[in-house]
Amino acid sequence: MNFEFLEISELRKLLDDKKVSSVELTKYFLDRIKKQNPELNAFITVTEEEALRQAQDADKFIGTPGDNPPLCGIPFAAKDLFCTRGIRTTAASKILDNYIPPYDSTVIAKLKEQKGVLLGKTNLDQFAHGSSGETSAYGPTKNPWDISRMPGGSSSGSAAAVAAGLSPWALATETGGSIRQPASLSGISGWKPTYGRVSRYGVVAMGSSLDSPGVVGYSVSDLALLAEVISGLDRFDSTTGQVEVPQYSKNLDSNLKGVKIGVPKEYFVEGMEEGIKKGVMDAIEELKKAGAEIKEVSLPNTKYGSLVYAIICPSEVSSNLARYDGIRYGHTAHATAKDLMQVYMKSRAEGFGDEAKRRILTGTYVLSAGYYDAYYKKAQAMRKVIIDEFHNIFKEVDVLACPSTPNVAAKLGKAADNPLHGYIADQLNIPGSLAGLPALSVPCGFSRPTDGETPAMDGLPVGLQIIGPQWGEQKVFNVGYAFQQLTGWHKKHPKT
Amino acid sequence: MLSKEEVKKIAHLARIELSEAEVEKFQKDLSVVLDYVEELKNAPVSIVGNLDPAHEVTGLVNVVREDKVEIADNHEEIFGQAPEIKDGYFKVKAIL
C-alpha cells in the first residue's frame, strides 16, 4: 500500500483501524527520504532512531478510534528553525552547525504531547533569510516538480518534503512570504497564521514583529486541524493567547453563498506571468459560480510593502542576530581569539553566510544615527498606513483572493547574488505579513514557465492566495476548503 | 554608493570582521538595497507632525506574569554548548 500524499484524516483512519502501525508508516516515510533526499536535499537532519522510538510509543498509545489525539502516530517534518531538545538545530547556518537545543520550542512540545512522530529537520534559507532556499549553508533544496528549479523559500525543505511525499505535513515559518511562496511554487497548501496566533518560543528569531510559525500540507482541512493543535496561549510568548482558538476543522463550512471576496487589483502586478493570472482568475470564477460575491477592490499602497519590509526586516534581524556571540553556544573563535572583541568579530565572520551578513549590515545601517528617521521611522509610519488600508478593506469584504506569487518556480541560481530577489518574489505576501494577517496559499492550476523548459508535464504549480482579517483564520480556511471541494488541484502531485 | 569606510564602520558596530573583498561586495550590495528603498521617500506619509508608527500589530500593552522562580533541569545541556565555563559561569576572554 502507498501512504504518500494521504491526508491526515486518511492516515488517522488507517492507524485507528489498525490497518497500519505508526512504526510501519514511519519506516515507509524514512525509506522515501533515504531514496529521494540525496537528490532533493529537503532534510538537513533525519532523526531515524528518535522517530522509530516515538512511533513505537505512539503505537502503544493508540486505542479506541475517536479517543486518540488527532496527530498521534502521524509522521511530520519540522523546518530546522524549531528548537528540538537534544536534536541539532542549525537554522541552515554554520554558526549553529553544532547547536543542540537544551529545550523544545512550544510548537514541538505540543506535537510531542500529541505523540506525533518527528522524521527530521528540513532545509531552509539560512536563518530563514531568503525566498529560494539557496542561502542555506547546506546547499539548495530542489523543487520536486522540476529539480533544476527552486522550491521557493525560506521554508524550502518543508515545502519540497511535503510536495515529494516524504512527509505527510511539515512545520514551516513565515516572516514575509516564507510559507505561502514555497507552498505556491511547490504545489501544496500552506497556512500563515495571524501574528500572535502560534507561539514563537523556541523558533530561531528573524523579525520578531513579523515571525509567524505555521504549516504546509495537502489540504485546507489538514491545515485547519493542525492550526487547532499548534495555536494558542503560551506563557513564553506574550503576544499569544489574545483570542481563543476556535475548532477550525469542525467549523469548516464550504457554503460560499453570501461570502464577499475582494480581488485587489494591485496584486496583478506588472511582469506577472499570464499563466498565473489565468489560473487565479479561473479559481476566482469557480468561487463565484459557487455563490461567492466577487468584488474588485483597491489597496493602493501595496507597492510600498516590500520597501517597508526591506527596512524593517533587516533592522529586526540585526537586533535578533546580535545574540550569536561565540560565547554561550554555536560556532566560536574562542580558541584563537586574543580578546573578547575578537571572539565576537571572528565568530560572527566565520559563522554567518553572505545573506545573514547583508541583512545584519543593512539593518545596522538604517538604524544608525543620522539615518533612523529617513529609513526606519518612515517605514514604520508607512507600515501603519498599510495596516489601516487592510483594516478598511475588511469592512467591505470577508477575505481577499489574489495570486500567491508573480511567477512560477524559477531556475536555481536566479536568487544568488541578487540582493533584491526576495523582496520581489514575496511582494504579494509581504503587505499581509506587515499587517499580521492570516493567509493561505492553495494550488489552483499549472502554468508553463517563461524562463525555459520544464519536464513537469502541465507546467509548474500556481497558487491562489486567500488573505483574511486579523484572527480571521476561520474565514480563510472556509474559502480555501470550499475551493478544494470544488476543484482537484490539491490532489495533483509530482512524479516521484 | 557607500564608501569603504562606511561599510567598515557599520561592520564594526555589528561586530563582524570583513575581508577587503567582502567590504567591496557589501559596498555594492548595500547600495542596491538602499537604492531600492529610495522610493519610500515618495510614500504618502509624513514622519513629521502626527506620526503614528506601527511597531507591532497586536495592540497589546504590558503583558505581565507572576515573578516566580522555577528550577531548570537542563544546566548541563546549557553549559555543555559553551567553549569555556568556570564554576557554573560562562568564561570570556579579556575585555580590555
Side-chain angles (χ1 to χ4, degrees):
Chain A
M1 187 171 178
N2 293 341
F3 301 109
E4 69 271 25
F5 307 130
L6 293 184
E7 291 182 24
I8 291 171
S9 56
E10 296 171 289
L11 293 172
R12 176 80 272 134
K13 191 160 179 356
L14 289 171
L15 285 167
D16 286 355
D17 295 347
K18 311 276 182 195
K19 296 261 170 60
V20 67
S21 70
S22 176
V23 168
E24 285 165 330
L25 265 189
T26 301
K27 282 185 174 159
Y28 184 87
F29 285 104
L30 286 170
D31 191 47
R32 284 183 69 84
I33 294 169
K34 256 181 222 160
K35 281 188 187 130
Q36 295 189 45
N37 197 54
E39 183 165 69
L40 293 174
N41 199 24
F43 285 83
I44 291 176
T45 305
V46 180
T47 49
E48 181 165 359
E49 245 173 73
E50 178 80 0
L52 289 170
R53 202 187 52 68
Q54 288 176 344
Q56 275 165 12
D57 188 36
D59 278 333
K60 275 184 228 150
F61 194 82
I62 293 171
T64 325
D67 290 351
N68 302 314
L71 302 177
C72 180
I74 295 179
F76 74 100
K79 188 176 185 176
D80 206 15
L81 208 56
F82 288 83
C83 283
T84 42
R85 188 171 184 173
I87 296 170
R88 177 170 92 130
T89 299
T90 67
S93 74
K94 286 295 175 200
I95 208 162
L96 290 178
D97 184 53
N98 60 0
Y99 175 57
I100 313 283
Y103 70 112
D104 278 323
S105 50
T106 295
V107 172
I108 290 287
K110 280 174 185 272
L111 293 166
K112 275 190 180 169
E113 258 172 55
Q114 289 262 322
K115 296 194 182 292
V117 176
L118 178 68
L119 295 167
K121 310 291 294 290
T122 58
N123 206 349
L124 63 148
D125 277 292
Q126 185 166 158
F127 282 108
H129 301 166
S131 312
S132 65
E134 292 181 11
T135 70
S136 168
Y138 302 85
T141 302
K142 315 285 171 54
N143 190 318
W145 293 88
D146 175 350
I147 56 164
S148 73
R149 291 174 183 274
M150 57 181 71
S154 66
S155 307
S156 50
S158 289
V162 172
L166 308 187
S167 178
W169 70 276
L171 286 174
T173 65
E174 233 200 71
T175 304
S178 285
I179 290 175
R180 283 168 281 173
Q181 190 253 33
S184 176
L185 301 188
S186 300
I188 53 172
S189 304
W191 168 52
K192 183 262 176 215
T194 301
Y195 176 84
R197 178 86 288 180
V198 177
S199 169
R200 290 168 295 127
Y201 180 70
V203 182
V204 175
M206 177 181 175
S208 297
S209 79
L210 299 152
D211 291 344
S212 307
V215 293
V216 290
Y218 296 122
S219 71
V220 173
S221 47
D222 277 3
L223 302 183
L225 174 69
L226 293 165
E228 264 170 53
V229 173
I230 68 167
S231 297
L233 173 69
D234 176 15
R235 66 195 184 100
F236 298 126
D237 178 352
S238 54
T239 63
T240 61
Q242 303 165 61
V243 176
E244 214 163 303
V245 183
Q247 291 190 300
Y248 297 125
S249 61
K250 274 203 190 115
N251 297 341
L252 280 176
D253 182 358
S254 63
N255 184 3
L256 289 169
K257 295 247 154 47
V259 175
K260 293 195 190 82
I261 299 178
V263 180
K265 61 179 181 198
E266 290 81 4
Y267 279 64
F268 295 83
V269 290
E270 210 178 294
M272 176 173 279
E273 288 170 3
E274 279 306 312
I276 300 257
K277 207 186 240 177
K278 184 178 183 309
V280 170
M281 290 319 289
D282 287 353
I284 291 167
E285 190 58 33
E286 288 285 345
L287 296 170
K288 188 179 174 185
K289 274 195 280 181
E293 214 176 288
I294 307 294
K295 186 178 176 189
E296 187 183 294
V297 295
S298 174
L299 295 162
N301 290 300
T302 300
K303 64 175 176 182
Y304 292 108
S306 284
L307 303 175
V308 169
Y309 185 81
I311 290 168
I312 290 174
C313 167
S315 297
E316 296 188 12
V317 163
S318 72
S319 165
N320 269 324
L321 270 59
R323 77 190 65 187
Y324 303 103
D325 55 12
I327 291 170
R328 294 157 302 154
Y329 54 85
H331 175 80
T332 181
H334 185 84
T336 53
K338 283 200 302 268
D339 56 18
L340 184 63
M341 182 60 90
Q342 272 201 359
V343 172
Y344 294 148
M345 300 290 285
K346 288 185 189 297
S347 300
R348 292 163 66 79
E350 294 161 3
F352 288 132
D354 274 357
E355 183 65 25
K357 286 178 186 172
R358 186 152 57 211
R359 293 201 192 198
I360 293 169
L361 295 175
T362 306
T364 307
Y365 181 82
V366 299
L367 289 174
S368 62
Y371 299 105
Y372 178 85
D373 278 3
Y375 292 110
Y376 187 72
K377 214 168 160 189
K378 179 95 187 203
Q380 291 289 30
M382 200 54 210
R383 183 176 186 180
K384 181 71 165 66
V385 171
I386 291 168
I387 293 170
D388 290 346
E389 196 167 274
F390 276 117
H391 184 75
N392 288 329
I393 217 80
F394 286 122
K395 287 177 187 160
E396 293 173 36
V397 297
D398 294 304
V399 298
L400 298 166
C402 54
S404 296
T405 61
N407 309 89
V408 293
K411 290 272 188 191
L412 281 164
K414 271 278 155 88
D417 278 326
N418 177 2
L420 302 178
H421 172 83
Y423 302 125
I424 292 159
D426 298 336
Q427 60 180 307
L428 306 180
N429 314 126
I430 284 171
S433 291
L434 291 170
L437 304 177
L440 295 180
S441 179
V442 293
C444 72
F446 292 87
S447 171
R448 312 281 327 164
T450 52
D451 62 353
E453 289 303 305
T454 171
M457 232 197 311
D458 304 312
L460 295 162
V462 176
L464 169 70
Q465 180 175 209
I466 303 160
I467 307 172
Q470 194 176 30
W471 311 113
E473 259 81 8
Q474 192 72 56
K475 287 182 178 179
V476 297
F477 285 143
N478 284 353
V479 173
Y481 175 69
F483 182 68
Q484 294 188 337
Q485 302 298 303
L486 296 166
T487 63
W489 297 113
H490 64 298
K491 305 251 185 217
K492 304 263 187 197
H493 305 292
K495 285 210 175 68
T496 54
Chain B
M1 196 154 91
L2 268 71
S3 70
K4 283 188 181 174
E5 283 59 44
E6 280 178 299
V7 172
K8 284 180 184 167
K9 188 185 157 211
I10 53 172
H12 183 76
L13 287 173
R15 301 290 187 262
I16 300 175
E17 189 175 271
L18 297 183
S19 66
E20 277 304 314
E22 278 183 311
V23 171
E24 277 178 32
K25 177 183 161 51
F26 289 122
Q27 247 187 306
K28 288 191 205 109
D29 285 3
L30 261 60
S31 302
V32 171
V33 175
L34 294 174
D35 284 349
Y36 174 67
V37 299
E38 190 66 19
E39 204 199 326
L40 202 58
K41 289 219 171 98
N42 305 320
V45 67
S46 163
I47 55 161
V48 287
N50 286 330
L51 175 65
D52 190 9
H55 296 288
E56 55 89 41
V57 294
T58 64
L60 288 168
V61 181
N62 294 346
V63 177
V64 294
R65 61 174 167 78
E66 203 185 339
D67 185 15
K68 207 172 100 194
V69 175
E70 288 174 47
I71 305 300
D73 64 349
N74 51 1
H75 285 221
E76 276 180 26
E77 286 170 87
I78 292 170
F79 285 107
Q81 309 271 332
E84 202 174 352
I85 50 170
K86 197 183 174 189
D87 304 333
Y89 292 93
F90 295 109
K91 192 175 173 198
V92 297
K93 298 267 182 184
I95 291 171
L96 289 172

